[in-house]
Amino acid sequence: MKFKTKTSPFFNSSQNINSVMLQVLIALIPGTLTLMYFFGAGIFLNVIISIVFAVSLEIFALIIRKRPLLPFLSDLSAIVTAWLFALTLPPLVPWWIIFVGVFFAIIVAKHLYGGLGYNPFNPAMVGFAVLIVSFPFEMSQWIHPRTFEGLGAYDFGLVEQLGFIFGDQKPAWDAITMATPLDEVKTGLRAGTDYGKVLEGSTYLQTFSQNTWIWSSLAFILGGIWLLYKKVIQWQIPAALLGTLGFISAVFYIFSGDSFASPLFHITSGATILGAFFIATDPVSASTTPIGKLIYGASIGFFIYIIRVWGNYPDAIAFAVLIMNMAVPMIDYYTQPRVFGHKPSFFSSGATQRKQDKKS
Amino acid sequence: MNASLSTNPSTTALRLSQNIKLYKFHGGVHPPFHKKDSNQKPIEFAGIPERLIVPIHQHIGKTAELVVSVGDKVKKGQLIAEKSDFISAAIHAPTSGKISFIGEHSIPHPSGLTEICAVIDTDGKDDWGDYKLTPIEDPANADYSELLDRIEQAGIVGLGGAVFPTAVKLAGASQQNKNKIKTLIINGAECEPYITCDDRLMQDRSADIVKGIQVIQTLIKPENCQIAIEDNKPEAIAAMRAATADFSDIEVIAIPTIYPSGGEKQLIEILTGKEVRSGGLPIELGLMCSNVGTTYSIYKAIYLGEPLLSRIITVTGNGIQHPQNFEVLIGTPFSHLAQQAGGYTKMAENLIMGGPMMGFAIPDDDVPVIKATNCALFISATSLRESNPAFSNQPTLPCIRCGKCMEVCPVKLLPQQLYWHIRAKDFEKAEDHSLRDCIDCGCCSYVCPSHIPLVDYFRFGKSEIREQKVALEKADLSRQRHEFLLYRKERDKRERDEKRAAHKAALQEKKAAAKPNGANGEQSSSPKADAIKAAMERAKAKKQARTESEQSDAKTKETSSKTNTKANTEEAQ
Ligand code: SF4
Ligand code: SF4
């Protein structure tokens, strides 16, 4: 009798890429819901619109590149990218801005580099970076959160919001938007105001229950813990990122509490938590060795602080991540774990062996 | 204690009941083990098939040399092919019959390779004639070399899969060598899914295994002996504990069930916490491992005088009616085994020799089992991916660098990086990532969510690097040859010129000597004669140099190239 032949191992565990990606989507839910609570349906619309654009562009790119549609769509990676990207957008941005961002994320950052698995840069962050550089005004219009007295997201109906996004209608930005705490603190400190005074002057930084950013941070931490528990991500990157950011900001805060923001502020504002657990941990573009992940995470934390405090942009997750994406191949090469039966060596004992072989 | 364990086998209790510190190796996986499928029935003899196909190369080392020819009648245990080198092993007739064919026959190999085999038409009498060796009565007091010779004679090789000649290994580890073995480790881990031949052997023939262990102990005199068995085999553990109860120096250790705990280096790490050096041998740590099956064959060779004619093989999988363990004559075709196990089911789509993690698929069941065969797994394609049949046909997706492979690699490699570099054909980088240390265990492929056949890439990378090295050496050799050729041409030409010059000079001298006024001939010729003499001497020296350099060239190319350059420089002077 004749038999089919294959190569070992003949077994495969039940894991698939989409089961991994699905966990990421699940983990994003609490954070997204919290943001929706504060900012209304606009957040949800952003997510949906981004996903629709991303999936359409993904299909387009796959057809052009003559790749099979089903396996590559069912891996869910485009949806993860779109969702993460959407969470960095302020509510009520016009649709074409979203489209430009998604286009850069999916087409330029992902497919032009060879598609899933081959992108050296984090696609969602490429999309965000393009927008913040090209449309700084639109990208900084965060509307008033729920707890703010006066016009807020909740004062618009769904149709009205859709009108803002897709129609010519423009909201009276000045009336309904405000500076984010990061903006506020940055401008305040730059102007020479004490950190304490800035906080006092800020309408919604004083009270804990009103602090949108603290609550959403907590929700994203919950998602992050889920990912850790499900072993989708490892502890190294978030720990190193938050640790470094916390440490540097603590040093400056202790050194001069008036002119530098507190570590708690840095960790809970902007996209820090989202970045630490969901963005910097994107496996494709992050470092892959255990020690490499520590270095990678720590460096991102370092750059976040530098750019936030001395740079021109209020938040810095995107740029810090993109900068470190470039360093990944080098980090990975020099942080190989010690291989079984090898002596500890500063880097790659395999390379030493190879060179010895050549000599003899 | 043993009795209570055998009645109530709880795996954790098994480990807790022993107070020995065990260690963990990095990574490892827990595939579905399917041991119960085949370990319920005792070992049975698989019978004598009509035809035995006995390959004469079943071991690591040099092919054995045939000593029979077509038409010869052979008795059971008669030598068919003898050990041909230091590392080689004898092959015997597994039963009596007539040699009907000697030549190429397909052997168990993924690409259906053929190899020289001796085909025996069996006569069913299973007649030993007088080929049975005399049992060694009292091995404990037997002569060291008598025991070792017997093991060599019996053609015993490592039955755990390595098929390295056991006598050579024992000789290397024995007392007469400078390496002192502290602990003898008997490997009964059997971590591959589906395989239960060692499990069943330990249950059914524990006393014999212990006798085999004692023979090894006599040979290498270790301080103690540890029998390591995965805790998913409580019956085997109980049986071995009962059989070793009277021996204080033999200890049965239940180790946690995790693949690949049966890998030699991994088992050593579990038991001692030590790592065998990359490229090194356990002997360096004062350890020696022996497989349960090998140990049993040693018992048979010493106590019964039987060479290695059969081995225990697990016949299992959903492609077979009644999975079971058999004692099988070497050379039995797989098809015969399938018959013995009740025949095929509809699901017999793949035939795998070995387990599903490291075994290999065989295209045809007309091939014989060999000394290395521990399992014949007949299995359907879907059940290989049974944990998730919906995705059994999912194509390979790109690597998303999730690092799952790295987490399970027992050697602590970075499979994702290796894969990347090998895909890019950057073998140098792959070597920098210690590709050579990969043990092909398949854990990385097993967990990969993109279903990338990582191990295939690594095998490819390794063979490519090997080929490159061979090619490089060849290129080196031919370059040296070419250089030598050029040198020789030049040298020959120069020698010819010199000879001619010498000849001319000699002629002139003769002429001068033939002149009548020879009185002053000596004086007048003296400067010329000196020149001739010098030239002749030089030619002689060169001739000598030439023969020398040629001789050394035959020995080693490197020294030859040195002499070449030396000769060259001498000549230049
Ligand atoms: S497990 Fe597969 S997808 Fe994940 S890093 Fe390894 S090779 Fe890549
Ligand atoms: S096959 Fe090689 S790389 Fe893969 S897990 Fe085993 S040792 Fe590691």
Side-chain angles (χ1 to χ4, degrees), chain B residues 176-195:
Chain B
Q176 314 211 329
N177 256 312
K178 61 179 189 301
N179 291 309
K180 176 83 186 100
I181 299 292
K182 220 178 124 260
T183 308
L184 167 66
I185 296 170
I186 302 297
N187 188 343
E190 202 165 57
C191 56
E192 268 263 5
Y194 284 98
I195 308 180

Side-chain angles (χ1 to χ4, degrees), chain A residues 10 12 16 288 333 342 354, chain B residues 356 364 416 432 437 451 459:
Chain A
F10 303 93
N12 210 186
N16 287 298
T288 189
Y333 184 79
H342 283 248
R354 176 170 61 76
Chain B
D364 192 344
Q416 69 272 48
D432 288 1
D437 288 287
H451 308 301
R459 289 193 191 114

